[in-house]
Amino acid sequence: GAVVSQHPSRVICKSGTSVKIECRSLDFQATTMFWYRQFPKKSLMLMATSNEGSKATYEQGVEKDKFLINHASLTLSTLTVTSAHPEDSSFYICSARGGTAQPTYEQYFGPGTRLTVT
Amino acid sequence: GEDVEQSLFLSVREGDSSVINCTYTDSSSTYLYWYKQEPGAGLQLLTYIFSNMDMKQDQRLTVLLNKKDKHLSLRIADTQTGDSAIYFCAESLTGYSTLTFGKGTMLLVSP
């Protein structure tokens, strides 16, 4: 149990376009979802925390107008990278927690999405 | 400096034991975790330890915690080639707090 999926697994987009990444909890309802960004040879950087039905809380230095997060249901959160630029190329990972997952405090991670902006 | 530090690389032979070390700075950390990340994949929770424990064993994995020195280690017994991955140490103040990750240790297991 406690499986989190992400879609797409890889995406290539042109500079200036927007791209949406989905994060789904497949077999549990998650009250909280997290979005991380992972740079090569760097740790995961928390971008934002989102609770179902409310606005996401962004970490310092993360532009909320550039990285739009929507958490419309207990099983789905989306991250939209707007007007993407090459420096946005990265590995984006989501995690989900709470709700019907046991234990409720454990974060379950998705497999990640590799974004390449050309 | 970084809140959570790890060495970046470890190479071992198949069958040997691997020990991955981690230090953290926040003495208030209550939960300490080890995650495994295989190439191109997300993170898989391997094990965690509460700050009031000094050891936890789970099959081939042994976690040792020295709270005084804020040092955490993960020992993998009888390391296999399938154990090759990046291992992240992480800490959180409470079970519901956000996680702070180290940069990860790449473990390479050679036959």
Side-chain angles (χ1 to χ4, degrees):
Chain A
V3 179
V4 176
S5 72
Q6 283 184 239
H7 177 79
S9 56
R10 289 177 177 271
V11 58
I12 300 172
C13 70
K14 290 188 182 296
S15 188
T17 63
S18 295
V19 61
K20 181 186 287 188
I21 302 169
E22 292 185 349
C23 176
R24 292 182 186 271
S25 55
L26 297 184
D27 51 2
F28 68 102
Q29 293 181 328
T31 50
T32 306
M33 287 187 172
F34 303 86
W35 286 97
Y36 294 84
R37 182 172 177 177
Q38 186 179 23
F39 295 95
K41 297 182 181 178
K42 297 278 189 182
S43 64
L44 277 73
M45 181 191 81
L46 178 65
M47 299 174 68
T49 302
S50 75
N51 291 297
E52 185 266 339
S54 58
K55 288 184 179 181
T57 302
Y58 289 80
E59 296 297 304
Q60 193 173 7
V62 178
E63 298 176 61
K64 62 181 181 182
D65 294 331
K66 180 164 186 63
F67 298 100
L68 300 178
I69 291 172
N70 183 280
H71 191 166
S73 78
L74 287 171
T75 59
L76 174 64
S77 176
T78 61
L79 168 68
T80 302
V81 183
T82 62
S83 186
H85 288 98
E87 58 265 29
D88 299 325
S89 298
S90 194
F91 195 56
Y92 292 87
I93 301 176
C94 74
S95 69
R97 183 185 76 187
T100 58
Q102 290 296 332
T104 57
Y105 55 78
E106 185 168 329
Q107 287 188 38
Y108 296 93
F109 286 81
T113 296
R114 171 72 62 191
L115 169 64
T116 303
V117 184
T118 60
Chain B
E2 296 290 332
D3 294 322
V4 180
E5 291 196 15
Q6 303 176 235
S7 52
L8 294 182
F9 185 76
L10 176 65
S11 178
V12 300
R13 289 195 178 275
E14 192 173 23
D16 289 348
S17 292
S18 307
V19 180
I20 302 171
N21 294 300
C22 169
T23 57
Y24 59 98
T25 56
D26 194 338
S27 58
S28 303
S29 299
T30 307
Y31 290 72
L32 296 141
Y33 307 82
W34 283 104
Y35 286 87
K36 177 183 181 182
Q37 184 183 33
E38 297 186 13
L43 273 68
Q44 172 196 357
L45 178 64
L46 286 177
T47 187
Y48 59 90
I49 190 168
F50 299 115
S51 59
N52 62 356
M53 300 167 65
D54 51 22
M55 187 183 89
K56 182 178 181 182
Q57 188 155 2
D58 183 1
Q59 300 182 329
R60 291 191 297 123
L61 305 178
T62 303
V63 179
L64 295 178
L65 173 62
N66 181 327
K67 197 174 177 185
K68 173 177 170 290
D69 295 338
K70 301 191 199 66
H71 182 268
L72 183 73
S73 67
L74 173 70
R75 179 177 181 270
I76 306 173
D78 187 25
T79 314
Q80 303 297 306
T81 54
D83 295 324
S84 293
I86 299 175
Y87 291 80
F88 288 92
C89 171
E91 60 89 13
S92 65
L93 291 179
T94 72
Y96 291 93
S97 302
T98 55
L99 296 170
T100 300
F101 287 89
K103 290 185 179 179
T105 299
M106 179 177 287
L107 174 64
L108 180 63
V109 183
S110 54

